[in-house]
């Protein structure tokens, strides 16, 4: 019997985190690790822990997520970072509203376990961006978090184009434009294993915000 939920895990050099991340995913869910150019053996580790491994040759967060979405076969897809920052036991928090038919898209709102779990520059950038988004499109979300769930066919039907850091915002904007019911639930957020390629550095954060502002201009 196929899984009712596929878990898409974008991955770039996450060898240190993958064993614990994959071990914590419920047996009823299928893990799809999308390798985006790792050089640390991440794909081999993912296979060893029973994950399906696919590759996204074009570098970028959106590229990895889209490759995972295309590889998914379950009716519901949940996307989550593979860096150990989330508790995989909480995937059901974002999946359940979709499964019950209460929402079309559900975000996990990050609740940091410590100050180091979510760098202050990244938290501030997220806050500023979301204030603008709430004012611009009237969507009451507090976090554009990397844990989120929706139905696979509906996601593909949105025709998302961004293949970099603007992908999550394009998803929110297009979902809003299509009158999706958008929900948000709290999820625990802890310090990731290793350094983030995006929010772990000021330069990466600036690039992500630049991508998202470009997306806002496109849909304004």
């Amino acid at each position: 019997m196929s899984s009712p939920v596929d878990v898409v895990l974008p991955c770039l050099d996450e060898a240190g985190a993958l064993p614990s991340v994959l071990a914590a995913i419920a047996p009823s869910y299928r893990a799809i690790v999308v390798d985006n150019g790792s050089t640390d053996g991440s794909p081999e580790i993912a296979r060893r822990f029973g994950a399906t491994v696919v590759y996204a040759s074009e570098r970028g967060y959106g590229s990895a997520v889209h490759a995972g979405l295309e590889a998914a076969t379950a009716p519901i897809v949940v996307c989550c970072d593979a860096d150990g920052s989330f508790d995989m036991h909480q995937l059901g928090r974002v999946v359940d509203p979709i499964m019950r038919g209460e929402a079309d898209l559900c975000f996990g709102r990050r609740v940091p376990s410590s100050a180091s779990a979510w760098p202050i520059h990244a938290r501030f950038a997220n806050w500023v961006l979301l204030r603008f988004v709430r004012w611009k499109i009237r969507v009451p979300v507090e976090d554009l978090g990397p844990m989120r769930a929706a139905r696979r066919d509906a996601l593909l039907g949105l025709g998302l184009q961004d293949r970099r850091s603007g992908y999550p915002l394009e998803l929110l904007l297009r979902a809003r434009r299509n009158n999706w019911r958008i929900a948000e639930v709290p999820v625990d957020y802890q310090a990731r294993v290793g350094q983030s390629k995006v929010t772990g550095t000021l330069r990466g954060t600036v690039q992500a915000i630049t991508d998202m502002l470009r997306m806002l201009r496109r849909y304004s």
Side-chain angles (χ1 to χ4, degrees):
M1 182 181 296
S2 60
S3 168
V5 177
D6 280 340
V7 184
V8 172
L9 299 161
C11 175
L12 176 59
D13 293 332
E14 302 293 1
L18 280 173
S20 59
V21 167
L22 294 172
I25 294 177
S28 58
Y29 290 6
R30 180 175 69 131
I32 301 176
V33 172
V34 186
D35 189 72
N36 201 206
S38 297
T39 59
D40 65 350
S42 288
E44 292 74 23
I45 292 172
R47 290 191 188 92
R48 194 182 312 149
F49 279 82
T52 297
V53 176
V54 298
Y55 295 88
S57 56
E58 180 184 354
R59 187 65 67 88
Y61 177 79
S63 175
V65 174
H66 186 70
L69 183 59
E70 288 189 319
T73 57
I76 295 175
V77 173
V78 54
C79 181
C80 185
D81 286 349
D83 59 12
S85 56
F86 289 100
D87 181 353
M88 296 293 105
H89 297 99
Q90 296 180 359
L91 289 174
R93 295 188 183 184
V94 295
V95 169
D96 288 349
I98 309 299
M99 196 168 284
R100 292 193 298 261
E102 298 170 355
D104 302 305
L105 173 64
C106 186
F107 284 94
R109 177 174 55 82
R110 288 169 285 187
V111 180
S113 59
S114 65
S116 62
W118 195 356
I120 189 64
H121 61 272
R123 197 182 309 192
F124 178 72
N126 183 78
W127 178 79
V128 171
L129 178 68
L130 266 295
R131 277 183 64 88
F132 187 74
V133 168
R134 288 196 297 269
W135 170 75
K136 193 75 174 176
I137 63 173
R138 308 300 184 191
V139 177
V141 293
E142 297 181 26
D143 182 20
L144 199 60
M147 181 188 284
R148 56 189 178 272
R151 293 197 170 273
R152 176 182 181 270
D153 289 348
L155 285 170
L156 288 172
L158 287 178
L160 302 182
Q161 299 299 311
D162 191 89
R163 295 296 179 262
R164 300 203 314 181
S165 300
Y167 185 96
L169 181 55
E170 184 183 16
L171 169 58
L172 176 63
L173 296 172
R174 288 212 180 195
R176 176 63 171 173
R177 179 174 289 184
N178 284 271
N179 297 314
W180 282 23
R181 295 165 299 165
I182 300 169
E184 188 177 51
V185 296
V187 292
D188 295 337
Y189 194 62
Q190 58 197 12
R192 60 157 291 144
V193 176
Q195 186 182 45
S196 171
K197 290 77 178 175
V198 180
T199 59
T201 65
L202 181 58
R203 179 180 179 181
T205 299
V206 170
Q207 180 62 63
I209 293 300
T210 299
D211 288 345
M212 291 187 180
L213 290 176
R214 172 175 47 82
M215 196 59 57
L216 277 174
R217 288 193 297 269
R218 180 185 301 177
Y219 285 88
S220 296

